[in-house]
Amino acid sequence: MSSRRRPPPAPDTGFTGSASLLRKYQELLRKHETLVHRLAHQNAERISTWKLSSWALETSASGLALMRDGVLQIANKRWHALARAPAKQGGWRRLSPGLTLGPLLPHLQDVAQEESHAVLAMPEPGQRITRYRREDGGMVLELRSERVGGPRQQLVLEMAHDVTALVRAEEELEQARETLIEREHLRALGDMASGVAHDLSSTLNAMRLRLELIQRDTEFAERQRAHLDALVRIVSDARERVGRLHDFAHQRPEEAPPGQPVQLADVVREAVEIARGDIEDRAVRQGLAVGVEVEVPPLPRVSGSAADLRYVFINLLLNARDAMPRGGAIRVRGREDEGQVILTVEDEGTGIPPEHLHSIFRPFFTTKGNQGTGLGLAMAYGVISRAGGTITAANRPEGGALFTLTFPALPVPAPETKPAPKSAARPTRKLVPKRKPRPAR
């Protein structure tokens, strides 16, 4: 039985297939045209965005930079302007609240490298904000650093902004706050001093009267003359200091009494005599060797109050003793230099922390904790200022503190010249006319 074959398909004339392909081609062309227009629109937006970003970078008040592996890749004009600072203005140091820390970095690029390495070393991604002050004390920059890209990319964005005016305002605000705190302390101290000063004055008056009674015993007074004179001087100085402390606590303007010529060599000698007993007693109780060396020759006189200046040197001597927990020597030296009388008080103690050197003369600032009032050096500063002098503090290279007191020397009065004796003139005799004899009656 023969199989039945199917008839072959009819030949394609080409019209049906061509029309279908044409429609598909036209549809692809429309899609391509739409994509081209969309791509062109996106490119135009990207180009415009890039131009706007470029303009923003160039006109920004902040310096912007991109760092890769600690190397500057790109930066705007402001960054380059900050980096071209003259060398005479010094480098940069990192700031913390109220302090300048870290090494000196000579250029802004070194600052950026320092911050870039710090950001890349952070365990968690985030932003790091630090401030740097120029060594000359001028401009302050706030640097914001942030890591960008993947974990394998060492890219860091840096933005440097000038915050000098802001930092100055913050410092002024902090200073105003501290001033308010000091005024509150002064007010509280004034309230307390008004009662304490009266009690102390009464006590000192009683001591003075007792000393006067003891001095009436001439035999005893002659044997103890040096001690009695020292006690009278101490009580007299203490009464004056109590009154000054009361005025100081209330911030009353002190009327400086007319200065008297003072020989500082005598003032230093008396201050050492008064303080020596306390210094030696403390040294014996603590088992320390503490000595006081005085090299103050007779100097030109200065204008001031001998009692106030004695207080200043006593305070400096006792402070030096407290600053030497292992003992040592306290040296007081004096000299004259171009019309100035200069005295120095130095010790071999622990010195003054550098961050406290600018604050030790401020009222209520103390490094002794509860053992200090913060008024000793502040009142000493006032005494020296009223005398027309200055007092400064520094650290000795060998260790210990050094206080330098400078006073203007009074001019040496010219020796009195006695007038030349007048030549003795011969007295002139007054001629009296002779009287005519009266006629006899």
Side-chain angles (χ1 to χ4, degrees), residues 379-392:
M379 297 181 71
Y381 183 88
V383 169
I384 303 300
S385 298
R386 287 194 298 274
T390 59
I391 178 171
T392 59

Side-chain angles (χ1 to χ4, degrees), residues 6 11 13 31 106 133 159 181 183 213 250 252 294 410:
R6 293 180 181 180
T13 59
K31 291 181 178 180
R133 186 190 293 274
M159 182 178 73
I181 294 175
R183 288 181 180 177
L213 292 175
H250 285 284
R252 296 175 182 172
V294 180
L410 291 177

Side-chain angles (χ1 to χ4, degrees), residues 290-310:
V290 179
V292 181
E293 303 174 8
V294 180
E295 299 177 9
V296 183
L299 298 167
R301 296 181 182 273
V302 301
S303 178
S305 167
D308 289 349
L309 292 173
R310 269 197 303 270

Side-chain angles (χ1 to χ4, degrees), residues 395-417:
N395 286 316
R396 302 170 62 239
E398 307 87 354
L402 170 65
F403 287 86
T404 304
L405 295 79
T406 305
F407 302 87
L410 291 177
V412 179
E416 296 183 359
T417 57

Side-chain angles (χ1 to χ4, degrees), residues 67-88:
M67 306 289 293
R68 181 193 296 273
D69 296 328
V71 179
L72 181 65
Q73 298 296 310
I74 188 172
N76 65 349
K77 291 182 179 179
R78 177 58 176 165
W79 180 278
H80 291 298
L82 293 172
R84 287 195 299 268
K88 63 181 182 181

Side-chain angles (χ1 to χ4, degrees), residues 184-228:
E184 182 63 23
H185 286 171
L186 288 172
R187 186 193 64 79
L189 182 59
D191 294 340
M192 179 184 65
S194 60
V196 173
H198 179 268
D199 296 338
L200 286 177
S201 296
S202 300
T203 303
L204 292 172
N205 283 331
M207 292 177 63
R208 181 178 58 83
L209 292 174
R210 294 286 182 176
L211 287 173
E212 290 178 356
L213 292 175
I214 294 175
Q215 286 179 327
R216 293 180 182 179
D217 186 347
T218 56
E219 183 180 351
F220 178 81
E222 287 300 326
R223 292 200 310 269
Q224 304 294 335
R225 176 61 59 189
H227 295 295
L228 287 175

Side-chain angles (χ1 to χ4, degrees), residues 39-89:
L39 181 61
H41 182 67
Q42 291 179 353
N43 285 338
E45 287 184 349
R46 290 176 180 175
I47 292 173
S48 300
T49 303
W50 180 83
K51 286 184 177 181
L52 287 175
S53 301
S54 177
W55 291 347
L57 288 174
E58 297 305 328
T59 59
S60 174
S62 301
L64 302 173
L66 177 65
M67 306 289 293
R68 181 193 296 273
D69 296 328
V71 179
L72 181 65
Q73 298 296 310
I74 188 172
N76 65 349
K77 291 182 179 179
R78 177 58 176 165
W79 180 278
H80 291 298
L82 293 172
R84 287 195 299 268
K88 63 181 182 181
Q89 294 181 351

